[in-house]
Amino acid sequence: MLQNLSSLYRLIGYQFKDESLANQALTHRSKNKKHNERLEFLGDAILSMIIAEKLYHQFPNEDEGNLSLLRMYLVRGKTLTDMAQHFKLGEYMVFGIGELKSGGHKRARLLEDAFEALIGAIYLDSDLDTVKRCILNWYQDKLKNLSVEEHTKDPKSRLQEYLQGTIQMKPVYQVTNIEGDDHDQTFCVEVSLGSLDQTYQGKGKSRKAAEHQAAKTALDHVLPKKDN
């Protein structure tokens, strides 16, 4: 049965022609065989491409490395969760009884997936230009206030410099777990700080992203506040 999604359409600024696509984007695999994972796969690629193109034109003097870090910030899990919560996607998502009882509508990863699936659904319901307008409208404030300096500092390099200057040792990164299916993996990484006998964790959709997150978490704890 199709949901009444008129209030969601107002929030996202898009009216679906084929409402079954919208409903599929909000359906978890625990509820139905026709769920949102394929749409999430499609939406993830579309979001990454559109954000990459926007950054390419917005920052014509930045190199590939900095553009990659800016894109990583804009498509990271927390940003997607914030977007999903802004659109109240959890209120529209459909789950099986078990997932519903366990609080699936509040789980960050499921909200991220639904947000990306919604992008995939809009693309299939319309075209690339339309979904591009939607995404850039949603990201308008984040793009306007995006700080190159803030988001292109390499946390791994900063952590290594700090440790070599204090204990003459390098941080050691180790993958502790890989979650999810082959096409949608989440890497869990732990960084060890040598003789400081401290470890910190990070997660990301690639090993590199997870290592950056682990390094950032470590820096948040070991650097004096004025330097971090």
Side-chain angles (χ1 to χ4, degrees):
M1 180 179 294
L2 297 180
Q3 299 186 74
N4 183 351
L5 300 176
S6 57
S7 57
L8 175 61
Y9 295 163
R10 288 193 293 272
L11 286 172
I12 65 175
Y14 180 79
Q15 175 78 38
F16 273 84
K17 297 183 288 290
D18 182 356
E19 292 207 339
S20 67
L21 283 170
N23 278 272
Q24 183 181 346
L26 299 168
T27 299
H28 186 257
R29 66 182 305 166
S30 62
K31 179 64 176 180
N32 198 309
K33 289 183 178 179
K34 195 171 184 180
H35 50 74
N36 65 5
E37 288 185 359
R38 282 170 54 84
L39 287 174
E40 180 269 330
F41 166 76
L42 180 61
D44 174 71
I46 292 168
L47 175 64
S48 182
M49 183 273 289
I50 289 173
I51 291 298
E53 181 189 29
K54 175 61 177 175
L55 293 173
Y56 178 87
H57 292 295
Q58 184 169 332
F59 299 102
N61 298 319
E62 297 299 330
D63 61 23
E64 180 269 346
N66 283 349
L67 293 176
S68 294
L69 289 171
L70 290 172
R71 181 179 60 181
M72 186 186 302
Y73 164 72
L74 291 172
V75 302
R76 65 177 180 167
K78 185 180 184 307
T79 302
L80 303 189
T81 300
D82 290 344
M83 290 285 196
Q85 290 173 336
H86 175 71
F87 293 137
K88 304 178 182 179
L89 293 190
E91 297 180 11
Y92 301 96
M93 293 180 69
V94 180
F95 301 95
I97 294 177
E99 191 66 50
L100 184 62
K101 288 183 177 179
S102 68
H105 64 290
K106 295 181 180 179
R107 287 174 56 191
R109 185 52 192 265
L110 300 188
L111 291 172
E112 297 167 28
D113 291 348
F115 177 73
E116 290 180 327
L118 190 65
I119 290 172
I122 292 174
Y123 169 73
L124 293 179
D125 191 61
S126 57
D127 51 44
L128 187 59
D129 286 341
T130 299
V131 74
K132 179 179 178 179
R133 284 195 296 271
C134 287
I135 290 172
L136 295 182
N137 183 54
W138 300 341
Y139 273 84
Q140 183 176 3
D141 289 341
K142 291 185 182 299
L143 288 165
K144 181 180 179 181
N145 299 315
L146 191 60
S147 168
V148 176
E149 181 180 356
E150 178 182 356
H151 298 296
T152 58
K153 293 178 181 177
D154 183 349
K156 289 183 65 178
S157 298
R158 292 177 64 204
L159 181 62
Q160 180 165 320
E161 290 172 2
Y162 174 77
L163 291 181
Q164 288 183 322
T166 54
I167 60 174
Q168 290 76 53
M169 295 185 69
K170 295 182 179 180
V172 177
Y173 297 89
Q174 180 179 2
V175 176
T176 57
N177 193 24
I178 302 177
E179 304 170 349
D181 299 327
D182 289 344
H183 75 277
D184 185 26
Q185 293 182 330
T186 296
F187 289 78
C188 305
V189 166
E190 180 178 86
V191 59
S192 302
L193 305 191
S195 62
L196 294 181
D197 195 27
Q198 295 169 308
T199 60
Y200 298 94
Q201 289 74 42
K203 288 187 176 184
K205 288 192 173 183
S206 67
R207 177 171 181 164
K208 181 178 179 180
E211 289 178 350
H212 274 80
Q213 185 57 49
K216 178 66 168 61
T217 301
L219 286 168
D220 288 342
H221 285 82
V222 302
L223 283 187
K225 292 299 180 182
K226 64 182 179 63
D227 294 328
N228 194 13

